[in-house]
């Protein structure tokens, strides 16, 4: 029960990795705040878990969703201790010159920009109980950031961006990290 008494927020909670993360944190005693696009699927995931879970459906590219998720964590469970920024999408393989603008923009917005919005909401919310514990944020990238495949440039760029964003933020927050 390593996460007993802690609150964990997970975006992309109905997909494979998000769902597995929710199950693992629940097994360790965490209270969960779960988000994804499909409200019905969120309710299904929450019902499967052996812990308390609050759900809020929404699109992670909407900046306000992340602030609402943090508020939900505070209202239901007293704060936010861990965030797993997992929501992500890929695109159909295709040559860079043929990727439609709306597809490239959607991948970058969901996979990278949404993580920036999430961090803006999550960072100030860590350690709301004033116990000096801080918190932990996990930004999910992909091996495609290091070992790209042909015809997946927008996805690789978005995941590489997550690595760069996370590294830069760690440098910025370094003095605050124990």
């Amino acid at each position: 029960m390593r996460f007993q008494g802690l609150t964990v927020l997970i975006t992309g909670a109905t997909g494979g990795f998000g769902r597995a993360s929710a199950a693992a944190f629940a097994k360790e005693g965490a209270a969960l705040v779960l988000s994804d696009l499909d409200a019905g699927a969120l309710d299904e995931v929450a019902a499967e878990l052996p812990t308390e879970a609050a759900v809020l459906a929404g699109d992670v590219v909407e900046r306000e969703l992340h602030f609402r998720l943090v508020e939900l964590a505070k209202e239901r469970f007293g704060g936010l201790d861990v965030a797993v920024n997992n929501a992500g999408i890929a695109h159909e393989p295709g040559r860079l010159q043929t990727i439609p603008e709306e597809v490239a923009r959607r991948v970058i917005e969901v996979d990278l920009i949404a993580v920036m919005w999430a961090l803006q909401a999550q960072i100030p919310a860590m350690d709301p109980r004033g116990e000096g514990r801080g918190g932990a944020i996990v930004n999910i990238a992909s091996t495609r950031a290091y070992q790209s495949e042909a015809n997946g440039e927008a996805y690789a760029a978005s995941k590489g961006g997550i690595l760069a964003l996370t590294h830069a933020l760690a440098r910025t927050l370094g003095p605050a990290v124990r």
Side-chain angles (χ1 to χ4, degrees):
M1 301 303 272
R2 294 178 296 167
F3 290 90
Q4 187 72 42
L6 300 180
T7 303
V8 178
L9 185 160
I10 303 171
T11 64
T14 66
F17 188 78
R19 187 179 222 129
S21 297
F25 279 112
K27 184 178 176 183
E28 293 291 339
L32 301 174
V33 176
L34 307 175
S35 186
D36 212 312
L37 285 169
D38 185 337
L42 276 171
D43 289 338
E44 287 177 24
V45 170
E48 296 170 359
L49 299 171
T51 192
E52 250 191 292
V55 299
L56 181 60
D59 189 339
V60 291
V61 304
E62 301 297 329
R63 185 174 177 269
E64 186 57 34
L65 172 67
H66 300 284
F67 290 91
R68 290 180 23 228
L69 287 166
V70 168
E71 282 306 310
L72 181 59
K74 289 177 181 178
E75 291 169 8
R76 286 286 303 277
F77 306 116
L80 177 64
D81 301 291
V82 177
V84 180
N85 296 314
N86 170 65
I89 60 171
H91 58 85
E92 291 294 320
R95 295 184 54 86
L96 179 64
Q97 306 90 306
T98 65
I99 296 173
E101 178 181 350
E102 63 274 6
V103 171
R105 285 185 183 281
R106 182 71 180 162
V107 169
I108 299 295
E109 288 176 353
V110 170
D111 291 3
L112 178 57
I113 303 298
V115 174
M116 290 178 20
W117 300 154
L119 293 168
Q120 286 182 347
Q122 295 161 358
I123 291 167
M126 294 292 173
D127 195 28
R129 296 172 185 94
E131 297 170 355
R133 290 191 313 208
I137 298 175
V138 180
N139 297 324
I140 303 300
S142 168
T143 58
R144 296 297 173 253
Y146 296 110
Q147 298 174 324
S148 300
E149 292 182 343
N151 301 313
E153 289 80 9
Y155 181 75
S158 70
K159 295 306 181 174
I162 290 173
L163 291 180
L165 170 64
T166 303
H167 182 264
L169 186 60
R171 299 284 301 191
T172 299
L173 296 177
V177 177
R178 287 191 253 154

